[in-house]
Amino acid sequence: MLRRELLSVRNRLTADDVREAGATLAERALELPELARARTVAAYVSVGGEPGTLALLDALRARGVRVLLPALLPDNDLDWGAYAGEGSLARVQHGGKMALFEPAGERLGPDAVASADVVLLPGLAVDARGMRLGRGGGSYDRVLARLERAGARPALVVLLYDAEVVQSVPAEAHDRPVHAVVTPSGVRRFASP
């Protein structure tokens, strides 16, 4: 129910709304000390009504940060590849799901995410505890479990619109809180998990 409502609001946004939010979001995110120190950031290319990420990806690359982007595997797990600018992206249609923009180059394997200092997560909402509501495919649940198994402790940051910071989202036992949410109006931090 909550997922459907949030997606409905996003679907009404114009391309200009998404682009403007993305530019402001990039400015806010770049102020994070975690991103200022990061050598490797695992991120994603926004699609549809998601807050735009390309401005942030390009700004990180300009700083000399290695940016890893996901490629969806048939089982909904994620492989990773390096971002080398907008021209390095391929539009990939995954069955009946939405088309995604993925790195066109070499695949680094699902474990490559463990090298990230910061993981930027997509989501639909985050609550007062820092619990993230995703789209329900489980891809990022697998990423978070993989990080935990590897003993990796990157900063977990979700990128959202202001109205998507809510009081409560449904959470399951395996869900892990994020460290921060960045919205166009600013950054909100949560207690470290």
Side-chain angles (χ1 to χ4, degrees), residues 9-177:
V9 171
R10 279 189 179 179
N11 289 338
R12 290 194 295 270
L13 296 171
T14 66
D16 283 344
D17 292 336
V18 172
R19 200 170 27 257
E20 285 170 27
T24 308
L25 203 63
E27 288 173 25
R28 298 284 178 268
L30 291 167
E31 294 166 3
L32 284 173
E34 294 90 338
L35 280 179
R37 292 189 301 265
R39 291 181 310 281
T40 300
V41 173
Y44 62 96
V45 179
S46 54
V47 292
E50 288 180 334
T53 57
L54 281 176
L56 178 55
L57 301 180
D58 288 334
L60 289 169
R61 258 190 83 234
R63 285 183 174 181
V65 174
R66 179 175 182 239
V67 178
L68 301 178
L69 295 177
L72 188 66
L73 295 169
D75 65 356
N76 271 357
D77 205 347
L78 298 176
D79 198 340
W80 299 87
Y83 176 62
E86 200 170 345
S88 72
L89 299 174
R91 186 175 186 274
V92 181
Q93 184 70 47
H94 290 279
K97 301 175 185 146
M98 71 178 79
L100 301 174
F101 290 93
E102 299 180 351
E106 176 193 1
R107 293 289 183 258
L108 305 173
D111 292 333
V113 70
S115 69
D117 302 302
V118 177
V119 177
L120 300 176
L121 302 159
L124 292 174
V126 69
D127 71 14
R129 303 164 295 170
M131 300 308 287
R132 180 187 70 93
L133 179 69
R135 286 184 176 265
S139 298
Y140 279 90
D141 291 333
R142 293 178 190 202
V143 167
L144 297 175
R146 181 170 285 115
L147 292 170
E148 202 165 295
R149 281 194 308 273
R153 299 274 180 265
L156 304 175
V157 179
V158 64
L159 306 173
L160 298 172
Y161 295 104
D162 293 312
E164 295 170 342
V165 180
V166 299
Q167 195 54 45
S168 178
V169 300
E172 296 178 29
H174 66 266
D175 289 337
R176 296 287 170 265

